[in-house]
Amino acid sequence: MFQQIMVPLDGSELAERALPCAERLGVASGATLHLVHVVELAPPLTWPFAPAYMPAYIHDDVVAQETQQATAYLDKMRERVAASGVHVRTEHMVGYAAATLLDYERDAGIDLVVMCSHGRTGLARFALGSVAEHLLRHGTAPELLVRPFGDPVTLEHAVVPLDGSEQAEEALRVVDQLARDVVHEVTVLRVIGTAEEGPEAERYLEEVAGRLTQEHLTCWRRVAQGDPTETIIDVAGTDKLLVMATHGRSGLMRWALGSVADRVAHGGVAAVLLVRAGAAPHTP
């Protein structure tokens, strides 16, 4: 299962909403939680009458002050999380958030990123350039995106949308690992366009369910006809963990991804675990 879990924090209570899920996974797997805070470099000044650059001594003072605040904040978070019995490591760095976190993911051998869809600066939308998408596009670790509102997700019931492709089935590998200590039920879902596709979809899900190896995992199979995105969201509901690969046979997963992640951000789906299809796992 996961051994090195990174939780990016920015000092906001919203970002801290990712901590209960990360703690649950850490307790179950014995993983180390990496609580990471990036002191971001000042963006270029855009006021037309401002100096073309920030004097070095002012910039250094600002970074030093924010670094000191980050250290105190992470010490408080370490004490809070360690109380649950999880091994915790904290790290503060200076740089641009997305690139800095990506470097840390690689260097620390991170095999799961857990983060909230909101932070200090508001909605971390799944748009080009966002921290979440940058990590997903360029990293190798799966990414668990948690909603900012409502009750924390329990992780006990997972929903896995499949389209018949090997890429989409990468999500099953992760669920099988989680089933050892965290996930107790899984619903494998196939969305079809016409009723004629039903029998083949049923046979496919029956075969897929047989690959899940954990003894105490209850597996449900569901074939549904309709719009893929809306069906996925409806089946996941507001209390289940949605586990899906980022690519599929027909582009379905990629097409649904933005809508699903956006629904997580607005509290409609509890959490989505995004698995990079074809990504090589980290090795110790």
Side-chain angles (χ1 to χ4, degrees):
M1 210 160 117
F2 304 116
Q3 293 300 310
Q4 306 295 331
I5 301 174
M6 178 171 74
V7 185
L9 298 170
D10 62 8
S12 70
E13 292 184 2
L14 287 174
E16 292 165 18
R17 292 274 300 182
L19 288 173
C21 280
E23 290 175 25
R24 175 74 180 88
L25 291 166
V27 169
S29 64
T32 296
L33 263 56
H34 298 247
L35 309 183
V36 181
H37 182 99
V38 179
V39 176
E40 290 210 74
L41 296 172
L45 297 175
T46 56
W47 183 46
F49 302 107
Y53 63 93
M54 179 183 292
Y57 70 90
I58 296 180
H59 178 269
D60 291 346
D61 286 348
V62 170
V63 170
Q65 182 179 6
E66 292 196 11
T67 299
Q68 185 177 16
Q69 293 171 349
T71 301
Y73 169 72
L74 288 175
D75 286 344
K76 183 175 70 173
M77 289 298 103
R78 181 209 299 268
E79 183 177 349
R80 167 180 156 183
V81 174
S84 63
V86 182
H87 184 261
V88 183
R89 174 178 172 182
T90 60
E91 190 73 40
H92 65 265
M93 297 165 287
V94 178
Y96 296 105
T100 302
L101 291 171
L102 186 63
D103 288 343
Y104 187 85
E105 177 191 316
R106 181 190 62 241
D107 296 343
I110 299 298
D111 47 25
L112 177 67
V113 178
V114 183
M115 63 189 301
C116 184
S117 59
H118 283 60
R120 184 174 58 189
T121 57
L123 178 62
R125 294 185 63 84
F126 233 73
L128 188 64
S130 74
V131 172
E133 193 193 22
H134 189 88
L135 292 174
L136 191 66
R137 280 182 177 272
H138 302 289
T140 59
E143 186 171 326
L144 176 56
L145 191 65
V146 180
R147 69 180 173 191
F149 311 115
D151 296 330
V153 62
T154 64
L155 305 179
E156 293 180 358
H157 191 157
V159 174
V160 183
L162 299 169
D163 64 1
S165 69
E166 292 183 2
Q167 296 98 316
E169 290 170 10
E170 285 289 318
L172 293 172
R173 173 181 54 82
V174 175
V175 169
D176 213 27
Q177 292 174 337
L178 289 173
R180 298 172 190 171
D181 299 289
V182 179
V183 173
H184 301 144
E185 294 182 67
V186 60
T187 297
V188 287
L189 170 67
R190 181 73 183 266
V191 182
I192 58 176
T194 64
E196 289 75 18
E197 300 174 60
E200 177 58 32
E202 292 282 2
R203 286 191 292 271
Y204 167 70
L205 291 184
E206 183 177 4
E207 188 271 327
V208 163
R211 297 187 223 157
L212 296 169
T213 62
Q214 301 305 318
E215 291 183 9
H216 304 294
L217 178 66
T218 301
C219 185
W220 308 95
R221 305 187 302 272
R222 182 163 178 179
V223 174
Q225 183 178 349
D227 174 78
T229 300
E230 289 302 320
T231 303
I232 290 170
I233 290 169
D234 288 345
V235 174
T238 59
D239 59 346
K240 300 180 185 65
L241 170 66
L242 182 58
V243 184
M244 59 189 297
T246 57
H247 292 79
R249 179 179 59 190
S250 60
L252 163 65
M253 298 302 176
R254 185 169 59 255
W255 177 62
L257 181 59
S259 296
V260 170
D262 188 62
R263 194 67 65 92
V264 172
H266 288 91
V269 175
V272 57
L273 177 55
L274 303 170
V275 180
R276 277 172 40 92
H282 287 293
T283 54

